[in-house]
Amino acid sequence: MKHPLLRSLCCLSTLVVAMPSLADTASINNQYASFVVLGQSPSGSNVAIARTVIDPQLDCPTISEVGGSQTSNMVTRDNSFHFPVMVCEGLVAFDKSYQLNFSDGTVVLPSAKSNPSHIQVFGDTGCKSKDCPSGSAAQPFQALADSGALAKPDLVLHMGDFNYRGTGGQVGFSAKDSSGQLQQQNQWTYDAGDDLGSADHCGQSKGQTYYSQNAANANRPDSWNYWLNDLFMSAKSLMLAAPWIVARGNHELCSRAGPGYFYFLDPHSNLVKGQQQLSCPMQNADKSALANTVQIPNYTVSFKTLDIAVIDSANACDSYSNSPFTKIYQQVFKRLNHSAKQSGNNTWVMTHRPIWGVQEYDSSTGTPCTANKQYGCVNQMMQKAIAMLPGKRLVKNISLVLSGHMHKFESISFAAKNHPPALIIGSSGVKLAGSQPQGAGKTQINGIGASVLTTNTSVHYKGSPYAAFGFLKMQLAQDGSWQGQLVNPSSNLLLANCTSEQNLAQGVCELGPDISVSSSQ
């Protein structure tokens, strides 16, 4: 098996060029964000892609090694949904330092390391319109991201749901009424959400109309301004601090902010041999949800001591009955097991939706639990898909599942150790959600005993309440073991300590010193 660094070099193509006219090249003041995303080529090699978002009708900056004399051209990504900005990209090699050359200066990019040790995990970072004024950065995500950048991570993992202000639940659609007059009606867009009601279209029943923000007759398509406010303005320092691996959330479905996700963040690129940039299909209300979306193929980024496998769970709703996506997720997990087993390396899985989220039955929201005191009901579709695998489990070298989606932190550890532990980091910015069970407790998930540690909307430190926002700092050792700290730097709080050893009171995590959370009722 080739070393990941050697495998990554096969995809790098450097074109030596003359510098374009400075008058036509974008200024640093014309760029909104510059960053590096990591992915995988069809041949299995690692891919690192440098990107910058600039004003249109200007030349892309060139890219070069820091201190080097040779430059290469960046190229533009396909902009099929006509965003009013231009994304330029170029391939870079691992373990080297690069810079973008603008007309009036340079921007140094974060180096993609083949052996990262300091990893930060964020999830559910955008801000809802009622909580953040229009045109402002997303808070508290910006404060968390700035603190994370100061700690100089080697790698950032983002669990998805970047854009909330641009993905409100109801959108106006124009349609003719019975008399032929054009009227506007508010409808819930397709969300593949957590509920079983028609508002979330989780089952997408036959004949049910597919509503998308990006349909021709919708009044609120995916917009650059929301991406700028919720992500690029808020995470500018963190994007320059370390490369990112990203998961797609349900707020980035094609019916919501999917066009922007594929344009700005998805690591699939025309620059990679044998690969093409992915994008949402043009939205058509007369077609099914399956025909209106795209499933991102599984991919893995391989490091010296760790593989990180990314699966697209945006369409995996909590109910698996009558859904055309169930078979898709059976194949997703079949391929995940196959690739992890072939690699043999210690593997973490990244997925927006938790495979084993813990949330109490609530008759008002239609969770798949059916009675009080039931908790392990998230995510039924993915649990069903795993149950249909040989052995009915993920392969043994998958040692950790990282996710977001639930607006809180949860740690789930299985006593029988026939499932890997799961960490849910959905508390990095969006308004927090409280639910039972809170604090530490034990429950049953698929009939298997599990230790669960959760944070509510707030924690108590030495008797005083603090908001439970945070992100996870992970230190990866050479043998693949890790230590983690869930932190809220804004309040100078250590919310939880975690470890791969699973020897703590609640499995892999325990609350930080002098931290308490209300017990379940």
Side-chain angles (χ1 to χ4, degrees):
M1 181 176 178
K2 291 183 180 179
H3 186 279
L5 174 58
L6 297 177
R7 288 186 286 142
S8 70
L9 296 179
C10 73
C11 301
L12 180 64
S13 175
T14 302
L15 175 65
V16 180
V17 297
M19 291 288 286
S21 168
L22 292 180
D24 298 327
T25 303
S27 161
I28 288 179
N29 294 326
N30 296 122
Q31 63 97 25
Y32 299 96
S34 298
F35 54 98
V36 174
V37 292
L38 304 183
Q40 183 185 34
S41 76
S43 67
S45 59
N46 287 344
V47 171
I49 305 174
R51 288 185 183 153
T52 187
V53 184
I54 64 174
D55 285 327
Q57 299 176 333
L58 293 167
D59 287 336
C60 291
T62 59
I63 189 169
S64 61
E65 284 191 53
V66 173
S69 59
Q70 294 183 338
T71 63
S72 60
N73 282 329
M74 302 186 84
V75 300
T76 56
R77 283 176 67 78
D78 296 337
N79 187 8
S80 56
F81 281 82
H82 308 295
F83 287 93
V85 289
M86 187 164 67
V87 179
C88 305
E89 65 179 356
L91 295 174
V92 295
F94 277 66
D95 298 316
K96 293 185 178 182
S97 182
Y98 291 85
Q99 66 186 31
L100 302 181
N101 305 300
F102 291 89
S103 63
D104 52 359
T106 61
V107 172
V108 176
L109 294 167
S111 175
K113 296 183 178 180
S114 58
N115 191 28
S117 58
H118 179 193
I119 300 172
Q120 295 181 357
V121 187
F122 291 77
D124 299 78
T125 54
C127 190
K128 294 182 179 180
S129 297
K130 62 182 179 181
D131 299 317
C132 288
S134 176
S136 67
Q139 292 292 1
F141 173 47
Q142 185 180 47
L144 294 173
D146 287 345
S147 296
L150 289 174
K152 298 181 179 179
D154 298 325
L155 179 66
V156 170
L157 310 180
H158 196 296
M159 298 299 114
D161 278 6
F162 305 87
N163 185 338
Y164 285 92
R165 271 178 282 189
T167 53
Q170 287 195 324
V171 173
F173 294 87
S174 58
K176 290 183 179 180
D177 61 18
S178 58
S179 63
Q181 298 296 312
L182 201 62
Q183 300 288 338
Q184 182 167 287
Q185 299 177 348
N186 287 332
Q187 300 285 353
W188 292 92
T189 56
Y190 172 77
D191 184 17
D194 304 319
D195 300 341
L196 303 183
S198 60
D200 286 300
H201 297 229
C202 200
Q204 192 64 22
S205 302
K206 186 176 181 180
Q208 188 173 14
T209 301
Y210 173 87
Y211 290 107
S212 170
Q213 287 185 219
N214 304 297
N217 66 333
N219 70 347
R220 195 185 183 193
D222 189 12
S223 167
W224 157 243
N225 287 334
Y226 295 120
W227 278 101
L228 174 63
N229 297 162
D230 266 14
L231 178 62
F232 294 115
M233 184 191 300
S234 307
K236 192 166 188 176
S237 61
L238 187 62
M239 295 184 110
L240 283 173
W244 286 33
I245 301 177
V246 295
R248 180 170 68 138
N250 60 298
H251 281 263
E252 289 82 51
L253 286 166
C254 290
S255 56
R256 308 181 88 186
Y261 176 83
F262 286 107
Y263 186 43
F264 299 119
L265 296 178
D266 185 73
H268 293 83
S269 169
N270 296 335
L271 291 177
V272 178
K273 185 177 180 180
Q275 192 177 87
Q276 289 187 327
Q277 177 182 333
L278 299 179
S279 64
C280 290
M282 291 301 167
Q283 303 291 274
N284 188 332
D286 295 327
K287 293 185 177 180
S288 68
L290 196 61
N292 275 290
T293 192
V294 59
Q295 178 71 27
I296 301 172
N298 299 8
Y299 63 91
T300 300
V301 183
S302 298
F303 301 107
K304 286 183 179 178
T305 59
L306 175 70
D307 284 359
I308 297 180
V310 185
I311 63 172
D312 178 9
S313 58
N315 275 293
C317 58
D318 286 331
S319 170
Y320 58 82
S321 60
N322 301 319
S323 172
F325 290 95
T326 305
K327 290 183 179 180
I328 288 177
Y329 286 99
Q330 292 172 12
Q331 291 302 311
V332 164
F333 284 104
K334 181 179 179 180
R335 290 171 184 140
L336 173 65
N337 265 0
H338 177 74
S339 62
K341 188 175 182 179
Q342 275 200 322
S343 164
N345 294 341
N346 179 34
T347 300
W348 295 354
V349 175
M350 272 184 66
T351 165
H352 173 67
R353 293 179 182 272
I355 299 173
W356 302 288
V358 177
Q359 186 159 323
E360 188 182 31
Y361 166 72
D362 183 346
S363 61
S364 67
T365 61
T367 58
C369 291
T370 57
N372 289 327
K373 304 303 180 183
Q374 289 187 335
Y375 300 109
C377 312
V378 182
N379 178 286
Q380 294 285 289
M381 181 183 286
M382 292 195 288
Q383 291 173 24
K384 179 71 171 180
I386 291 172
M388 299 184 74
L389 296 173
K392 300 182 179 181
R393 55 162 295 165
L394 300 179
V395 294
K396 291 182 179 180
N397 59 302
I398 294 177
S399 61
L400 182 66
V401 176
L402 293 166
S403 60
H405 188 57
M406 301 172 74
H407 297 168
K408 68 185 78 174
F409 170 79
E410 281 191 359
S411 162
I412 302 170
S413 306
F414 294 92
K417 295 185 173 57
N418 55 352
H419 291 320
L423 298 181
I424 299 167
I425 302 96
S427 55
S428 303
V430 72
K431 185 177 179 180
L432 297 174
S435 67
Q436 306 287 1
Q438 298 160 11
K442 294 185 181 295
T443 189
Q444 295 279 315
I445 300 177
N446 286 343
I448 302 169
S451 296
V452 180
L453 181 71
T454 71
T455 57
N456 197 5
T457 55
S458 64
V459 298
H460 283 75
Y461 175 67
K462 294 184 176 180
S464 298
Y466 294 86
F469 292 106
F471 66 95
L472 187 67
K473 298 167 67 174
M474 304 180 75
Q475 195 68 33
L476 181 66
Q478 290 295 317
D479 63 1
S481 64
W482 55 268
Q483 302 288 327
Q485 293 182 322
L486 182 71
V487 297
N488 183 347
S490 301
S491 302
N492 197 28
L493 291 180
L494 171 58
L495 301 174
N497 281 305
C498 303
T499 175
S500 55
E501 297 302 317
Q502 297 197 52
N503 58 0
L504 301 178
Q506 292 300 315
V508 295
C509 292
E510 63 183 5
L511 292 174
D514 299 312
I515 296 289
S516 63
V517 181
S518 300
S519 300
S520 59
Q521 302 297 316

